[in-house]
Amino acid sequence: MIRSLLLALGQLGDPPILRVFAKCMALTLLIFMVVGIGVWWGTQAMLATWFGAQSADMSSGIAALFALFVTALALWLVFRVVAIAVVGIFADDVVAAVEARHYPAALATARPVPFARGVAMGLRSALRVVLVNLVMLPVYVALLVTGIGTAAAFFVVNGWLLGRDLGDMVAARHMDAGAMRGWRATTRLRRFVLGLANTGLFVVPVLNIAAPVLGAAMATHDYHANRGTRRVGGLDQ
């Protein structure tokens, strides 16, 4: 896993990776900007209804401050979820760039993931993160008394989620659905460790911004470093 991280960090400056990073950041920020504008507009309309048109300037100022607060809070709380959904859209470009540099033989036989499938995978991944963490919320709260229990549970749960989804982003280029089910069954522990490592990146300042792209690159190295190259009918077996 350390090797995968170092290789991923070493490729961050490559033009294809930088392009994906720029697209991911632009789309992520756009989503939060839309949220902020929506909160501002809704709050301003509500205040105008309550206090009347004569307080329009005051309503606009309060709405702007509230929108700024909500957007900042959303960035802190759900940046990871949005970033995972967004990187799922562009993950195939990251995987292709890593394979082009380090695993050209695998790239030659890979099947690019269609854009629609990438979007669906990213949205499913984000939805799983939200739903599972909501279900686990009472457990997180109950473990607060232990001091470290909440953080440990968070890492375990999100390590499992991220490991599954990051691995799928790579495997989808080299396997059909049936082969992927078998591959998941035999790689649970390794993908869990990958997920733990990427969850850790999300809590490191500065690195957390690049964590989704680094995760996709690390998953690519992990997949190819731990899998044979025997193929049947163009698919990994």
Side-chain angles (χ1 to χ4, degrees):
M1 202 54 60
I2 294 175
R3 172 185 176 274
S4 296
L5 175 59
L6 292 176
L7 288 172
L9 286 170
Q11 201 171 350
L12 268 183
D14 285 10
I17 301 294
L18 287 176
R19 283 194 293 270
V20 173
F21 178 72
K23 288 188 288 187
C24 288
M25 287 303 301
L27 183 53
T28 300
L29 292 175
L30 177 62
I31 290 171
F32 283 107
M33 284 177 60
V34 170
V35 169
I37 292 171
V39 171
W40 170 79
W41 181 84
T43 304
Q44 188 177 35
M46 181 180 65
L47 291 174
T49 300
W50 286 354
F51 300 110
Q54 68 275 12
S55 61
D57 291 340
M58 182 186 72
S59 298
S60 180
I62 294 174
L65 288 173
F66 184 67
L68 182 63
F69 170 75
V70 171
T71 303
L73 185 64
L75 274 167
W76 180 55
L77 292 176
V78 299
F79 170 78
R80 182 172 54 88
V81 175
V82 174
I84 290 169
V86 170
V87 81
I89 300 173
F90 305 112
D92 202 55
D93 294 339
V94 177
V95 178
V98 174
E99 289 181 344
R101 179 169 174 176
H102 297 280
Y103 312 101
L107 178 65
T109 56
R111 298 169 303 174
V113 177
F115 180 78
R117 186 181 181 189
V119 172
M121 290 175 68
L123 291 176
R124 283 198 301 269
S125 177
L127 184 60
R128 270 193 298 270
V129 170
V130 171
L131 292 178
V132 172
N133 278 283
L134 283 176
V135 170
M136 288 294 296
L137 189 57
V139 178
Y140 295 154
V141 173
L143 290 174
L144 283 173
V145 297
T146 67
I148 63 170
T150 298
F154 176 86
F155 266 78
V156 169
V157 169
N158 289 276
W160 166 63
L161 290 167
L162 279 177
R164 182 189 190 282
D165 293 329
L166 289 171
D168 281 5
M169 291 176 186
V170 185
R173 292 170 52 84
H174 301 282
M175 301 178 182
D176 57 25
M180 281 183 66
R181 284 192 292 271
W183 173 78
R184 289 190 195 113
T186 59
T187 57
R188 290 191 182 98
L189 180 58
R190 194 174 72 244
R191 287 183 294 114
F192 175 60
V193 175
L194 170 68
L196 285 178
N198 202 233
T199 301
L201 291 178
F202 272 104
V203 300
V204 178
V206 181
L207 272 183
N208 59 352
I209 298 174
V213 173
L214 287 173
M218 289 170 64
T220 308
H221 290 296
D222 181 72
Y223 177 88
H224 290 296
N226 292 279
R227 187 169 180 81
T229 56
R230 182 172 65 89
R231 296 176 179 273
V232 177
L235 301 178
D236 285 343
Q237 298 292 321

